[in-house]
Amino acid sequence: MKRPLPDGTTHLLFTGLELLRRVASLVPAPRANLTRFHGVFAPGAKLRPFLVPQAEETSAGSEAAAKQEQMKERTPRVDWAELLKRTFDFDVFACMRCGGRRRVLAYVKGAAGVRAILEHLGLPTASAHLAPARGPPQSAWC
């Protein structure tokens, strides 16, 4: 302990279960805010609108249109090119030869279209053979 307790205790000894019980009590509840406001800063306080800055009020029609625009702009997903750039710092749309920008012309989704393109390029059309999964070596458990 940092400092001895008033009775002179300098160490605490716990069993495994006792330690887990004490540590588990420190973990916050799921989906609960860790910062709680009381008084005039509480979410339901009557004086909160006078202290916390509020968004400017607009007409109901223009507000709905603004919300619709924001929903169109923001998407929960990030496209594959942006993920590659963030993860590996590699821009897939940058041309290696001239440094220009590439663009997506089409997505090929059908199996027949993919097979035709692979055959034209002289690449194999059959998928690679995957070996069955195997268990861990038994000698590691001894």
Side-chain angles (χ1 to χ4, degrees):
M1 300 184 70
K2 218 174 182 181
R3 291 181 211 91
L5 292 178
D7 65 351
T9 305
T10 57
H11 293 79
L12 296 174
L13 296 176
F14 298 117
T15 65
L17 190 58
E18 286 175 330
L19 177 67
L20 287 177
R21 200 175 286 144
R22 286 186 177 231
V23 170
S25 68
L26 300 175
V27 176
R31 295 173 299 281
N33 291 331
L34 299 181
T35 306
R36 296 177 190 233
F37 295 100
H38 301 279
V40 294
F41 290 110
K46 292 179 183 175
L47 295 176
R48 183 182 168 95
F50 299 108
L51 297 173
V52 179
Q54 302 292 322
E56 293 180 20
E57 294 184 19
T58 59
S59 65
S62 63
E63 188 174 315
K67 281 186 180 181
Q68 196 72 351
E69 270 186 40
Q70 286 177 352
M71 292 192 65
K72 286 181 186 176
E73 290 174 10
R74 287 184 43 200
T75 59
R77 295 176 180 238
V78 179
D79 65 331
W80 59 275
E82 181 64 27
L83 285 174
L84 286 173
K85 188 168 183 164
R86 281 188 197 175
T87 307
F88 302 111
D89 194 24
F90 177 72
D91 189 5
V92 293
F93 288 129
C95 180
M96 301 289 264
R97 285 184 267 159
C98 69
R101 299 295 295 165
R102 296 178 184 161
R103 59 191 167 115
V104 177
L105 297 177
Y107 290 103
V108 181
K109 294 181 180 178
V114 172
R115 188 173 292 112
I117 291 171
L118 290 174
E119 286 174 356
H120 174 74
L121 295 173
L123 297 172
T125 57
S127 62
H129 175 70
L130 297 176
R134 41 179 208 170
Q138 296 302 321
S139 61
W141 297 101
C142 296

